[in-house]
Amino acid sequence: MNITKSVVSERDRALIGGEYNKYHAQSTRRIHTIRKRLGATTPRGKKYAQRSPVTAQDVAKNAQWVQLLLASAERAWADAMHMKSSQSPENTQRPMQGSTKRQIVSRFRRAITYATNLIDAVQDQSTTGATSQDILEAKAYLSLLNGGFDFERNRWASCIQNYSFVRLVYTALANQAETDLYQDLLEGTIDPSIRYAAYQEKLPRTKAISDIAIEHFPSSETDARQQIADADVTAFETTAEKAAAQAEGAGDLPTNIEWRGRTVKLEDASISQALATAKLNEDALAEKVASFKDGKTSAKDLAAAYDDIINARQDAADATKTAIDELVAEGVDQGDPRIQGLQVTRTAVNYGVVEWRVGRNRVLCGDQDGLTFEPTKSRQTQKPRKDGKERLVKHEPTGRKLARLRERVALYDSILQNLDAVKQLPGVMADTTFVEELNGKRAYFRALKCLAVARSHAINAHIGNALALFARSQELAQHAKASASNASAALGLDVTQPQLKTLQAHLASLALQYRALADLKNTTATFEKDAGGNPYQAPLLERLQLNQYDDNVDLKNIVNYPPKMQPIPMQPLFFDLAWEYIQYPGKGPETGSAAPVPGQQSTQQVKTEEAPKKRGWFGFGR
């Protein structure tokens, strides 16, 4: 039934810019389309007709009833989110009115009603043929709406329970799926909502979200708990249990960490366990990279493999910060060797987090860090045309190209923010050599960002702006520096010398190309100006056939004076000469007779001359 996939795909199609009103209109059109297919439209002449709930028998006859319920729920949800975003205090600079809050809650209740009807319709598996995963997704969708409803009502305990159910379901399904469909929902909506609700409930901020979800899983959902456990055996294992199991599988835990030539001993077991887990995930990532180079893995799947490493590294960073806070709370001086060692560890593990985040964004940017910009292949339908002609391949529209470039610019901004965050780590600013390396890498990614922005101006035919940005990008690329060490198989923060040379050569060619285009444009504009520097305009006599109204006629530009010799369109002289020799049917000699010789008149010609000549229209003729 593709419940979650339908919801996510429809939201992604309309919510690229966060326009909930656009999504509301899209859902309305989709509802009308589905109702026409099902034959369930409103009778003509009635503005409103009471509709009965969808039953399992309806779903058994046609699965489109499920999509109708999803579209109806999404329309109500989009209406609520549109009112919330448009009437928020950040936009209106005043508190939200009580009537608006009641409207938002009413829309959420309407969406929950449709989602509840969906569960009732698919619950009977023998009738509808629904699978266990379909029922789990339907329950998760209802809990997702209930969590948003509780969020608006400030019922934080119930909000955590609903979102915890959704998180465990989507986490279990994500381990089985080959796409990052569920992962996007977890990172974009569910995890931030759980963290905020936990903050309102005054839960420890150091507690992992997965542990909060397991602890607050609804006790009434025993059947769903068993289905989740069947889908993922480790779904209800806490972070400590998973770390212990992974540490046993990893063998010896790391005992020290190295940073910029300095080796520090690891005394905290939690830090060692997190780093051991990160090492295992890095080995798994290496296999993904090999599969990606062979074309067996997509770029999104490869980027998703980075998340496990980032999470493990982040756990190590959190454990380091917790250890430092505990020592500071005990009154240990900042100059103590234990705190100094933990500060070095903190810098090393946080740099690892930044490095893998940057690597993930580089994978999402595309081939060669987004240096090239190839048009996407259109999905050409396989159905032949009725007239038998071959279907033309549709080119990528300009709006889609600009949207892809905006996504790349957002990724480059994230990379630059992560590089700036590295400079805030303890001991980094004192290391001038390391700061120079960071500035060189930052110049490399700034050059790529300017390249993406320049391409957007080039698409809009703003040649001057594009040339300025290409030149700026070329200047930044000259200041970029390659890493002294070779880059690993997986992308990180290292920039190799071949990558830097390829970027510089590509930018040099683009700058030269658009410099020529700008020069050509300026030359063309110069030719189109008169002697006074004003834009050239043809005389009025030459513009009479254009059928244009000129409310301010320039009386000094009626004709060209003094006249200049110039070609004019005219009838070729050959046509006038040929008129005298063309023999028309019925007026010339018989077929096979010789053509008359110029200067001699035949008897038939004399008779023809004596006959009265026929005139053309209005008495004119030859």
Side-chain angles (χ1 to χ4, degrees):
M1 294 182 181
N2 297 327
I3 295 175
T4 307
K5 183 178 179 180
S6 299
V7 172
V8 174
S9 62
E10 291 296 325
R11 288 186 182 182
D12 290 343
R13 195 169 57 147
L15 295 180
I16 295 178
E19 298 179 2
Y20 293 101
N21 197 25
K22 180 180 177 181
Y23 185 39
H24 179 272
Q26 174 183 310
S27 300
T28 302
R29 292 192 299 269
R30 188 160 178 255
I31 290 172
H32 293 334
T33 302
I34 296 174
R35 287 196 176 278
K36 286 182 180 179
R37 293 175 183 172
L38 297 174
T41 56
T42 304
R44 182 167 302 210
K46 292 186 178 181
K47 295 184 178 180
Y48 177 77
Q50 186 70 28
R51 304 186 188 278
S52 59
V54 178
T55 61
Q57 289 74 18
D58 295 333
V59 177
K61 293 178 182 178
N62 196 332
Q64 285 290 317
W65 286 103
V66 174
Q67 300 300 323
L68 178 61
L69 291 174
L70 287 175
S72 302
E74 285 296 288
R75 180 173 65 174
W77 175 83
D79 196 9
M81 296 305 294
H82 171 66
M83 286 188 289
K84 180 180 177 181
S85 60
S86 61
Q87 299 297 327
S88 61
E90 290 81 4
N91 294 331
T92 60
Q93 303 300 324
R94 61 176 182 269
M96 186 181 295
Q97 298 180 0
S99 59
T100 305
K101 292 181 180 180
R102 288 191 294 271
Q103 282 183 312
I104 294 173
V105 170
S106 175
R107 297 303 185 275
F108 267 107
R109 283 176 177 161
R110 183 178 299 177
I112 291 170
T113 302
Y114 287 117
T116 306
N117 188 8
L118 174 62
I119 293 179
D120 296 338
V122 302
Q123 194 77 29
D124 190 357
Q125 292 180 308
S126 60
T127 304
T128 60
T131 62
S132 300
Q133 180 175 342
D134 293 333
I135 297 176
L136 268 182
E137 290 186 359
K139 289 183 178 180
Y141 180 64
L142 176 60
S143 296
L144 184 64
L145 295 177
N146 280 324
F149 178 73
D150 293 332
F151 196 95
E152 296 299 324
R153 301 295 299 273
N154 297 336
R155 297 189 298 197
W156 305 116
S158 178
C159 179
I160 294 176
Q161 284 190 356
N162 286 302
Y163 278 126
S164 297
F165 178 83
V166 180
R167 190 185 194 281
L168 287 170
V169 170
Y170 286 162
T171 303
L173 295 178
N175 293 332
Q176 293 181 341
E178 297 180 355
T179 62
D180 53 354
L181 176 70
Y182 304 100
Q183 194 67 30
D184 293 340
L185 277 173
L186 291 173
E187 295 177 356
T189 304
I190 300 169
D191 286 354
S193 301
I194 293 177
R195 180 61 70 189
Y196 185 80
Y199 168 75
Q200 295 292 339
E201 285 290 296
K202 298 181 180 180
L203 297 178
R205 298 188 64 183
T206 56
K207 198 169 187 177
I209 295 180
S210 57
D211 294 344
I212 296 176
I214 294 172
E215 181 180 344
H216 293 82
F217 186 83
S219 57
S220 58
E221 297 288 347
T222 55
D223 295 339
R225 185 185 185 95
Q226 183 61 39
Q227 292 176 356
I228 294 172
D230 294 340
D232 185 8
V233 181
T234 63
F236 291 94
E237 290 184 2
T238 61
T239 305
E241 295 172 351
K242 290 182 179 179
Q246 290 177 350
E248 291 178 0
D252 297 335
L253 297 177
T255 58
N256 51 55
I257 189 172
E258 185 177 353
W259 171 252
R260 306 286 298 171
R262 182 175 178 179
T263 304
V264 177
K265 185 177 180 181
L266 296 175
E267 298 180 354
D268 196 321
S270 59
I271 301 175
S272 299
Q273 289 177 355
L275 292 178
T277 304
K279 183 63 174 61
L280 286 176
N281 294 329
E282 290 173 13
D283 296 338
L285 177 63
E287 298 177 359
K288 282 276 189 180
V289 171
S291 177
F292 174 74
K293 292 181 178 179
D294 295 339
K296 300 178 181 179
T297 303
S298 63
K300 287 188 177 181
D301 294 339
L302 180 60
Y306 279 79
D307 294 335
D308 296 333
I309 304 176
I310 296 173
N311 293 333
R313 291 276 182 176
Q314 188 62 52
D315 292 340
D318 294 340
T320 305
K321 184 178 182 304
T322 302
I324 294 175
D325 293 341
E326 290 176 355
L327 290 178
V328 172
E330 293 175 1
V332 179
D333 187 71
Q334 292 289 338
D336 189 272
R338 292 177 294 175
I339 291 187
Q340 291 295 317
L342 286 173
Q343 293 287 9
V344 174
T345 304
R346 180 186 178 187
T347 302
V349 295
N350 278 285
Y351 181 78
V353 173
V354 170
E355 183 178 16
W356 292 110
R357 283 178 180 171
V358 170
R360 181 182 185 274
N361 291 340
R362 291 177 70 178
V363 170
L364 293 175
C365 286
D367 189 23
Q368 298 181 354
D369 298 331
L371 179 63
T372 59
F373 187 70
E374 299 295 336
T376 57
K377 296 181 180 179
S378 61
R379 297 179 180 178
Q380 187 174 4
T381 179
Q382 300 297 329
K383 186 178 179 181
R385 293 179 52 168
K386 294 181 179 180
D387 54 5
K389 296 181 180 179
E390 185 180 356
R391 289 188 179 273
L392 299 177
V393 179
K394 294 182 179 179
H395 297 285
E396 185 179 12
T398 302
R400 180 56 186 160
K401 291 180 182 178
L402 296 178
R404 288 170 53 205
L405 288 172
R406 281 195 294 268
E407 292 174 0
R408 286 192 183 182
V409 171
L411 291 172
Y412 293 138
D413 284 335
S414 177
I415 291 174
L416 295 175
Q417 290 174 4
N418 286 321
L419 289 175
D420 293 337
V422 173
K423 296 181 180 180
Q424 306 299 325
L425 296 175
V428 171
M429 294 304 296
D431 192 345
T432 56
T433 305
F434 183 59
V435 171
E436 290 180 1
E437 292 180 6
L438 288 177
N439 291 334
K441 296 174 181 178
R442 194 174 188 277
Y444 174 79
F445 292 108
R446 285 184 66 195
L448 288 172
K449 178 185 175 182
C450 286
L451 173 61
V453 178
R455 281 199 172 107
S456 65
H457 285 281
I459 291 174
N460 290 324
H462 299 159
I463 305 299
N465 296 343
L467 175 59
L469 287 167
F470 281 133
R472 176 57 177 165
S473 180
Q474 187 180 12
E475 180 184 354
L476 290 170
Q478 297 298 329
H479 291 86
K481 295 181 180 180
S483 303
S485 58
N486 294 326
S488 60
L491 288 176
L493 260 175
D494 293 330
V495 180
T496 61
Q497 191 67 29
Q499 290 174 338
L500 184 57
K501 288 185 177 180
T502 303
L503 174 64
Q504 292 173 349
H506 189 68
L507 290 174
S509 63
L510 285 175
L512 183 61
Q513 175 187 357
Y514 278 84
R515 187 173 287 111
L517 291 174
D519 190 18
L520 181 61
K521 183 178 180 181
N522 293 335
T523 304
T524 306
T526 303
F527 286 153
E528 293 178 353
K529 292 182 179 180
D530 56 12
N534 300 319
Y536 173 77
Q537 189 176 19
L540 181 62
L541 183 63
E542 299 178 7
R543 292 185 283 116
L544 293 178
Q545 76 279 8
L546 298 181
N547 194 20
Q548 294 179 350
Y549 175 74
D550 193 350
D551 56 351
N552 189 14
V553 179
D554 187 5
L555 300 179
K556 296 181 180 180
N557 192 24
I558 299 178
V559 295
N560 277 326
Y561 187 83
K564 299 179 181 179
M565 183 176 294
Q566 58 183 354
I568 60 173
M570 62 177 296
Q571 184 178 2
L573 183 62
F574 171 76
F575 290 155
D576 292 333
L577 295 176
W579 183 272
E580 303 296 338
Y581 298 93
I582 294 177
Q583 298 176 1
Y584 293 95
K587 293 188 177 182
E590 299 294 334
T591 304
S593 62
V597 179
Q600 297 181 1
Q601 294 182 347
S602 61
T603 306
Q604 186 176 1
Q605 288 178 343
V606 174
K607 294 180 179 180
T608 306
E609 291 178 357
E610 293 177 356
K613 296 181 181 180
K614 293 183 178 181
R615 298 289 183 175
W617 289 350
F618 306 107
F620 298 101
R622 297 184 67 89

